[in-house]
Amino acid sequence: MWTTTVKRFLLPVGIVALAIVLFVYMKSTKPEQPPVQVKEKVWMVEAMEARYESLAPVSRLYGQVESNSLVAASSPISGVVEHVWVKEGQELKAGDRLVGMNQQDLQIPLQQAKADVADVEAQLRLEKLAYQANVERLAHEKKVLEFKKSDVVRTQKLLDKDLTSTTALEQSKEALAKQEYVVVGAQLAVEEHKLKSQQNQARLDKAKAVLEQAELNLERGTVIAPYDGRVASVKVSAGDRVNAGAVLIEYYGLESLELRAKLPVAEFHDVNQRIQHGDTVTALYRNASGAKPVSLKVDRMAGEASTSGVDLLFALPDEMKALRPGDLLEVELQGAKRDRVVAVPYSAVYGNDRVYLVEDQRLKAVNVKLLGDLTVDGALWALIEPSFPQGSKVCITHLPNAVSGLKVSEGAE
């Protein structure tokens, strides 16, 4: 029984020992793997040689076409619109008829004004005749007054000689007093002529002014294009009844078109100095069709500024007269030329102040000053003021993990 117990104990122990021996043997006889060597990753990039140049930066501005002389022709009177000869967007020539009011609505006030002028002129002529009659009457009454005075003197002498009665003298004096009153009335009638003439002349001037207004309304009743232009909008249709002052049509001259673009505050000082010095400030407009860029000249600055900047107003050349007010344009404002600057693709710029140079197959970060944009072969490049020598190789492949010391290779190995 003891032997059986020993066998039961030794059998598992032997199995475990055999397994340990086999493990040690297999481990000691396995082939050895060479140590893994960690190789530094090389990033493939493109680089360009930096060249110092004299270039002008550009700034992208966004503006809207507008007209500086949009005319809103209104109705001179209350009346009916009789004709509308044009439509919205139609081109105009100087002298073209645009909108016409009903002629009867215009002629009736004109006829009334003419009648008022004729009435006042007749009153002036009548007053002149009355004045002449009053002058003659005054002269006559003064002669009668002299006769009355002589009669009083004669009666007084007769009374002194007892050749007449006191009653006769009193009657002569009474006749004299009445005649004096008549002379005063005649004198007043003569003197009133000046005031009445002034009143009638004022009425005549007023009537003539009303007549001139009626004639002007008759002329304005048919809206005529004063110059070549384009119809912006038509507010009425034939048959509409409108009030005086109601807008009939809006139009503008093609020469009045201009572009209003916002100049950022950061660039105001430089542009304003150039304008004050009499320098020509221009911008380029590049048509989406790929046509030759059009140069736009800054005409003036807006009279008011805002927190976001001040508006620049560009005169539009003849080749851009097909544009309409409200069109949105993107233009490139040409800055002042800078010396010793470098143009690089925007892929080379990190942030707004850093590029990477390739030196001994490693990247090196350098700080630069971003001056603006530049168009090179139709692509937008950055214009920078470098802090590195000419001929340095600038990495133009944008790497998200770019840091100084990163190993790179130009082209494929």
Side-chain angles (χ1 to χ4, degrees):
M1 182 177 179
W2 183 82
T3 302
T4 304
T5 303
V6 173
K7 289 180 179 180
R8 288 179 179 177
F9 174 75
L10 292 177
L11 183 61
V13 173
I15 294 173
V16 172
L18 179 61
I20 292 173
V21 172
L22 289 174
F23 174 74
V24 173
Y25 172 75
M26 293 177 67
K27 183 177 180 183
S28 61
T29 59
K30 73 177 183 177
E32 293 186 3
Q33 297 289 337
V36 178
Q37 296 181 355
V38 179
K39 187 177 181 181
E40 184 178 5
K41 184 175 181 180
V42 179
W43 297 84
M44 310 303 296
V45 297
E46 292 184 23
M48 64 172 287
E49 184 177 326
R51 290 188 306 153
Y52 287 173
E53 299 179 84
S54 294
L55 300 171
V58 300
S59 301
R60 291 188 176 273
L61 304 181
Y62 299 91
Q64 186 174 17
V65 177
E66 59 182 38
S67 169
N68 56 32
S69 62
L70 181 64
V71 178
S74 58
S75 172
I77 61 169
S78 297
V80 176
V81 177
E82 188 171 7
H83 299 287
V84 177
W85 288 286
V86 294
K87 297 180 180 179
E88 181 178 345
Q90 184 174 331
E91 300 286 337
L92 304 175
K93 294 295 182 183
D96 287 351
R97 294 182 301 174
L98 309 181
V99 178
M101 299 292 294
N102 185 280
Q103 289 298 305
Q104 288 184 344
D105 293 332
L106 299 166
Q107 288 288 349
I108 291 175
L110 179 61
Q111 293 173 1
Q112 291 176 341
K114 288 181 178 180
D116 290 340
V117 170
D119 179 44
V120 179
E121 288 178 341
Q123 291 185 30
L124 276 172
R125 290 194 296 270
L126 182 62
E127 177 61 29
K128 187 176 181 180
L129 293 175
Y131 171 72
Q132 293 174 352
N134 288 330
V135 169
E136 293 177 0
R137 175 178 171 236
L138 176 61
H140 173 73
E141 297 297 342
K142 285 182 176 180
K143 290 180 180 180
V144 174
L145 179 62
E146 294 299 325
F147 293 151
K148 297 295 183 182
K149 288 180 179 179
S150 298
D151 184 62
V152 170
V153 173
R154 185 174 58 258
T155 304
Q156 182 65 47
K157 290 180 179 180
L158 292 174
L159 181 62
D160 292 341
K161 295 179 180 181
D162 293 330
L163 298 177
T164 186
S165 65
T166 305
T167 303
L169 178 63
E170 290 177 353
Q171 289 177 348
S172 296
K173 290 182 178 181
E174 182 180 356
L176 176 61
K178 289 181 179 180
Q179 186 61 33
E180 288 177 344
Y181 180 76
V182 171
V183 170
V184 170
Q187 183 70 40
L188 179 61
V190 171
E191 293 179 354
E192 281 182 348
H193 166 73
K194 184 177 181 180
L195 296 178
K196 288 183 178 180
S197 295
Q198 291 177 347
Q199 289 179 336
N200 287 329
Q201 186 60 49
R203 291 177 57 196
L204 179 60
D205 293 341
K206 181 179 179 180
K208 286 183 176 180
V210 173
L211 176 59
E212 289 179 2
Q213 183 64 56
E215 291 174 343
L216 187 60
N217 289 342
L218 178 63
E219 181 181 349
R220 291 176 176 174
T222 301
V223 181
I224 305 295
Y227 42 68
D228 294 351
R230 184 181 295 122
V231 178
S233 62
V234 179
K235 303 295 185 180
V236 294
S237 300
D240 287 349
R241 176 170 288 278
V242 295
N243 295 323
V247 176
L248 304 175
I249 189 172
E250 293 180 337
Y251 60 93
Y252 57 89
L254 299 182
E255 299 300 325
S256 70
L257 291 178
E258 58 188 11
L259 176 68
R260 179 185 292 269
K262 183 71 70 177
L263 177 69
V265 176
E267 300 181 32
F268 170 77
H269 180 71
D270 291 340
V271 175
N272 185 56
Q273 276 195 333
R274 293 170 62 192
I275 293 177
Q276 295 299 324
H277 292 160
D279 297 338
T280 300
V281 182
T282 60
L284 288 182
Y285 168 65
R286 300 181 185 275
N287 198 311
S289 62
K292 183 180 178 181
V294 180
S295 178
L296 309 180
K297 181 181 176 182
V298 173
D299 184 58
R300 64 192 185 281
M301 276 190 178
E304 296 181 351
S306 64
T307 54
S308 59
V310 63
D311 290 341
L312 287 180
L313 295 163
F314 297 85
L316 295 185
D318 291 339
E319 55 264 39
M320 297 181 67
K321 298 304 183 184
L323 295 174
R324 264 68 171 170
D327 283 340
L328 300 177
L329 300 182
E330 177 184 347
V331 295
E332 300 172 359
L333 181 66
Q334 306 297 301
K337 184 170 287 189
R338 302 289 190 94
D339 296 326
R340 295 174 59 83
V341 294
V342 176
V344 296
Y346 260 104
S347 59
V349 181
Y350 293 79
N352 286 322
D353 59 356
R354 190 172 72 258
V355 298
Y356 284 93
L357 303 182
V358 179
E359 295 182 354
D360 298 329
Q361 294 188 328
R362 295 199 179 268
L363 295 183
K364 178 184 177 182
V366 293
N367 291 328
V368 296
K369 182 180 179 181
L370 183 62
L371 301 177
D373 301 333
L374 191 69
T375 302
V376 178
D377 296 331
L380 186 64
W381 282 32
L383 192 63
I384 60 175
E385 185 178 305
S387 58
F388 48 82
Q390 183 172 214
S392 301
K393 289 189 174 182
V394 180
C395 177
I396 61 174
T397 300
H398 196 85
L399 299 175
N401 58 336
V403 292
S404 291
L406 184 69
K407 191 170 184 179
V408 296
S409 176
E410 296 181 52
E413 293 183 350

